[in-house]
Amino acid sequence: MSPAKFRFLVTIVLLAGNIYCEAGSNHGILDAFNARVLGSGNKTLVLSHGFGSDQTVWQKVLPYFLKKGFKVITFDLAFAGAADPSRFDFNRYGSFDGYVHDVLLILDELKVDECVFVGHSMSAMIGSIAAIQRPNLFEHLILLGGSPRYLNAPGYEGGFEQTAIDQLFRSLKSNYTAWATGFASMAVGSQFHDAVHKFRKTLLAMRPDIAYFVGKQVFESDERSILREVKVPCLVIQSKKDIIAPLFVAEYLKTHLGRKGKTQVEILQTQGHFPQLSIPSLVIRAFQRIILTEN
């Protein structure tokens, strides 16, 4: 069975469960994920955050896109501290599929026909899987610091050995506050003090058991097999030095995403996993090559 068919079957199961909705209704889905629609342009831009953050991670780039006339959709993924932790379903979110289903529900509820989807970190794979299931919904994918696999493997440099991942999450369980402080500095880059502070704040807003569960799921995931199914044009944006997703990953995505010759790569001359917080002007400049020229 192909990855795309497997994902389709999982989606059917999720739909049948009506996890968030009674009698198939999506009433309340927008409130559940704090979904916001800003601007009223003809082109829709969807901004989806990664692990440990929430929709405020886009606050430094959002004004620019509104000024350029986009309709922008932002929301909080289910694990975010800004979301209601009592609604987090550990079975539902044992893989990316639960998040994919949430994103598609939000876009359907907002009656989005076509969008440019910007996925940071884990949301790069969420967007990729969503685009496999509903290719006509996605005009373009912009994958910011995304990775299909974080663990090293033969012929593949994900950035981490399993022993390092194990130690990372032992530290999380031992002292969450201390872990969040260290992880924020490592991921963002210690020289970007304001950005480190911002990421640490959203990390600490998460419930520790949810952070552990989601972090382990993401860092031990392997979505390499689905890349060939992605037929939507992609822009991969990657910091030159990123401890979470090394440069090898950007080139791997360019080579393995399904629409050959339609994936562009932009390397930002900076370091860290959160350039939209640390040096937003570089991210905006990279976005311009796709979304502004097509607007």
Side-chain angles (χ1 to χ4, degrees), residues 236-279:
V236 175
I237 303 177
Q238 174 69 48
S239 294
K240 185 176 182 179
K241 184 178 180 181
D242 182 351
I243 195 170
I244 305 296
L247 282 178
F248 175 92
V249 172
E251 290 303 318
Y252 186 91
L253 289 171
K254 181 179 181 179
T255 302
H256 290 82
L257 283 165
R259 196 166 178 183
K260 303 300 182 185
K262 294 295 184 179
T263 297
Q264 301 180 54
V265 174
E266 292 286 339
I267 304 301
L268 306 181
Q269 298 303 308
T270 187
Q271 70 178 75
H273 195 57
F274 287 82
Q276 72 271 47
L277 283 178
S278 57
I279 309 185

Side-chain angles (χ1 to χ4, degrees), residues 11-249:
T11 300
I12 294 299
V13 171
L14 288 171
L15 283 168
N18 291 322
I19 295 173
Y20 279 105
C21 319
E22 293 182 5
S25 170
N26 292 337
H27 178 71
I29 192 74
L30 301 182
D31 288 341
F33 298 110
N34 303 316
R36 297 193 304 159
V37 180
L38 303 169
S40 57
N42 293 325
K43 184 183 286 289
T44 299
L45 185 67
V46 178
L47 304 177
S48 187
H49 66 85
F51 169 70
S53 60
D54 59 26
Q55 64 182 285
T56 62
V57 77
W58 304 110
Q59 63 186 6
K60 291 187 176 182
V61 297
L62 184 57
Y64 184 82
F65 297 119
L66 292 176
K67 183 180 178 181
K68 289 296 181 179
F70 289 93
K71 179 166 69 175
V72 181
I73 297 172
T74 65
F75 48 84
D76 295 317
L77 294 174
F79 57 77
D84 182 357
S86 69
R87 303 190 74 160
F88 187 86
D89 188 308
F90 288 88
N91 291 321
R92 179 184 180 85
Y93 299 111
S95 71
F96 289 117
D97 296 297
Y99 304 106
V100 170
H101 186 54
D102 292 345
V103 169
L104 294 177
L105 279 177
I106 290 169
L107 297 183
D108 286 344
E109 186 71 6
L110 292 172
K111 297 179 170 52
V112 174
D113 296 320
E114 188 177 59
C115 68
V116 173
F117 182 92
V118 182
H120 175 236
S121 196
M122 66 180 281
S123 273
M125 291 302 102
I126 293 171
S128 296
I129 298 167
I132 293 170
Q133 295 182 12
R134 300 271 298 278
N136 293 335
L137 184 57
F138 298 91
E139 177 186 352
H140 221 105
L141 295 179
I142 299 181
L143 312 179
L144 176 60
S147 177
R149 178 184 169 102
Y150 298 88
L151 285 168
N152 296 329
Y156 179 84
E157 183 187 342
F160 294 88
E161 296 292 343
Q162 184 66 58
T163 53
I165 295 295
D166 292 343
Q167 179 57 47
L168 184 69
F169 288 98
R170 277 197 299 268
S171 299
L172 185 157
K173 292 190 89 172
S174 175
N175 187 327
Y176 186 66
T177 300
W179 176 85
T181 299
F183 185 70
S185 181
M186 176 187 78
V188 176
S190 59
Q191 72 272 37
F192 301 116
H193 302 295
D194 290 344
V196 169
H197 175 75
K198 172 62 181 173
F199 182 44
R200 178 180 181 272
K201 182 178 179 181
T202 54
L203 276 172
L204 290 175
M206 291 178 68
R207 211 171 72 189
D209 62 325
I210 293 176
Y212 178 85
F213 178 83
V214 176
K216 286 276 285 183
Q217 182 267 314
V218 171
F219 277 94
E220 294 180 347
S221 64
D222 188 350
E223 300 295 335
R224 291 176 295 172
S225 65
I226 64 103
L227 297 179
R228 65 180 180 271
E229 306 282 351
V230 179
K231 306 304 183 183
V232 175
C234 298
L235 171 65
V236 175
I237 303 177
Q238 174 69 48
S239 294
K240 185 176 182 179
K241 184 178 180 181
D242 182 351
I243 195 170
I244 305 296
L247 282 178
F248 175 92
V249 172

